[in-house]
Amino acid sequence: MERTAERGKWVGLIKLGDIPAFAHWLSDEQHEWMIQSPDVGEVLRAYKYGTTIVVWYDGRRTICGRHVMAL
């Protein structure tokens, strides 16, 4: 986990079952993220003010960047 975190990726931080609730929270009136259709290997893609956040799924766990972890 530490080596992965140094590269800017967080593994297993978001549970797969929590993705729909996380997407709903991101897209509410307060946060205003626009949920987009995820590409292959992704379970969540959202856009706001020129920034796109992505949560990937490798078949066992979710993977996200540091900026997603901050949300």
Side-chain angles (χ1 to χ4, degrees), residues 22 26 33 35-36 42 44-48 51-56 67-68 71:
F22 184 46
L26 284 173
W33 286 86
I35 304 303
Q36 300 176 327
E42 299 174 350
L44 177 68
R45 176 179 279 270
Y47 175 84
K48 179 179 175 182
T51 302
T52 301
I53 59 172
V54 178
V55 178
W56 297 274
H67 52 286
V68 177
L71 292 172

Side-chain angles (χ1 to χ4, degrees), residues 22-35:
F22 184 46
H24 180 70
W25 179 80
L26 284 173
S27 63
D28 67 12
E29 291 181 8
Q30 181 181 2
H31 299 98
E32 299 178 338
W33 286 86
M34 290 177 40
I35 304 303

